[in-house]
Amino acid sequence: MRIDVVSIFPEYLAPLRLSLLGRAQEDGLLTLAVHDLRDFTFDRHRTVDDTPYGGGAGMVMKPEPWALALEHVLERQAGAHGAADNPRRPVLVVPSPAGTVFTQAMAYELAEEPTLAFACGRYEGIDERVLDWAGERFEVRPVSLGDYVLNGGEVAVMAMVEAVGRLLPGVVGNPESLVEESHSAGLLEYPVYTKPSSWRGLDIPEVLLSGNHGKIASWRLEQQLRRTVARRPELLEGAEAAPFGKGERAVLRELGYEVVDGRLRRVAS
Ligand code: JQB
């Protein structure tokens, strides 16, 4: 996959060269290019912002540098592996607090694309006409990292590129961890422990030393259910009940859930 990022702070994206994704780039599994928006300005001050029409606080990003930068990205992406036989327009992700919330399902979708482009705004955002203009050249997706306010798109892009990049074939050393992850999708993770088995007076759960893999698997699933009920109950409401066996359904009942028409429903308490 080829990923292009446009930002006025290209150094902000430098950590994407480290660790797992750094290795993926060395191995040729991922090509990451970061472009400085100011390289597409031609005035003495390399201006990328201006005052908002209609008034209001803050500044808005000017459209022309964005069009030039995104045209440059399109040219570079045309030669990427798999880009020529892509029947669809390349995806352009525009991080925004007003976007659709980024999810693991979205990460899986994006990981299928031969190319991705990311447009990092700053200030009060990008002139909306850039998104209209880009809509004829890209499949534009305004995406939010979550329901809180950041100062710009860079941190969101770091999170999204990491989430997508680790799904690319060969990037995660042990692909079984991805399989286990997708298997328990929709539930929070179970707690994990390592040596020593007794640490500062705290012992690991005995079942993990039993060597009984069936018992360990059902204990872990029960932990996932308990955690999800306690921390993210909205993930369970309306969830498909099919993956849960007799034991799990008993735990769910104890935690206040019943199965109606094959779906979980919170019992009024
Ligand atoms: C400028 C951004 C986010 C991109 C994601 C998330 O746009 C704004 N509107 C109001 C206040 C501040 C900004 C600053 N800003 C570009 C830009 C914020 C993304 C952003 C985001 N993705 N929160 N904020 N989850």
Side-chain angles (χ1 to χ4, degrees):
M1 172 183 279
R2 179 186 169 100
I3 297 179
D4 290 88
V5 183
V6 181
S7 165
I8 60 168
F9 296 123
E11 330 84 79
Y12 224 113
L13 285 301
L16 290 175
R17 311 256 176 228
L18 301 174
S19 187
L20 203 69
L21 292 194
R23 163 69 72 84
Q25 289 164 79
E26 288 169 12
D27 293 349
L29 305 171
L30 172 67
T31 301
L32 177 66
V34 183
H35 310 272
D36 187 343
L37 182 69
R38 291 192 199 276
D39 290 347
F40 303 90
T41 62
F42 299 96
D43 64 310
R44 254 164 49 79
H45 302 291
R46 311 227 289 168
T47 311
V48 293
D49 63 325
D50 207 336
T51 54
Y53 277 116
M59 300 292 271
V60 173
M61 295 190 104
K62 293 164 65 63
E64 187 59 15
W66 276 110
L68 295 172
L70 293 174
E71 280 173 339
H72 176 73
V73 165
L74 278 172
E75 283 169 24
R76 300 288 303 271
Q77 289 192 339
H81 185 77
D85 19 83
N86 185 6
R88 289 166 303 115
R89 285 172 291 188
V91 170
L92 173 63
V93 176
V94 185
S96 162
T100 313
V101 174
F102 185 70
T103 60
Q104 185 66 20
M106 216 181 282
Y108 280 115
E109 275 180 37
L110 296 178
E112 298 291 321
E113 299 291 328
T115 65
L116 292 176
F118 290 87
C120 298
R122 280 270 151 180
Y123 315 110
E124 300 303 304
I126 305 171
D127 187 307
E128 190 66 22
R129 293 169 295 178
V130 172
L131 281 80
D132 304 334
W133 173 89
E136 308 212 327
R137 294 151 179 90
F138 293 90
E139 182 187 323
V140 177
R141 300 222 195 149
V143 178
S144 168
L145 191 60
D147 292 336
Y148 36 78
V149 180
L150 304 172
N151 281 331
E154 285 80 5
V155 165
V157 167
M158 296 243 277
M160 295 183 216
V161 168
E162 180 157 311
V164 171
R166 64 190 292 283
L167 298 179
L168 301 177
V171 171
V172 165
N174 182 358
E176 274 186 40
S177 31
L178 294 180
V179 173
E180 187 171 321
E181 217 171 83
S182 74
H183 184 72
S184 60
L187 292 180
L188 302 188
E189 295 178 331
Y190 54 77
V192 295
Y193 303 87
T194 187
K195 291 175 277 298
S197 64
S198 184
W199 173 76
R200 299 198 179 200
L202 300 172
D203 294 343
I204 66 165
E206 220 165 61
V207 63
L208 299 179
L209 295 169
S210 70
N212 183 335
H213 299 297
K215 243 175 111 181
I216 291 172
S218 45
W219 178 84
R220 284 177 167 167
L221 184 50
E222 178 177 339
Q223 296 301 308
Q224 289 188 278
L225 293 171
R226 291 186 182 282
R227 268 190 173 180
T228 307
V229 170
R231 302 178 185 173
R232 298 288 305 280
E234 78 280 10
L235 295 180
L236 284 176
E237 186 66 55
E240 194 74 77
F244 305 118
K246 257 182 117 185
E248 289 82 50
R249 284 172 200 228
V251 172
L252 282 164
R253 215 164 307 125
E254 182 195 321
L255 295 173
Y257 286 82
E258 60 179 9
V259 178
V260 177
D261 293 337
R263 294 189 177 278
L264 294 184
R265 184 211 274 172
R266 182 90 246 233
V267 181
S269 57

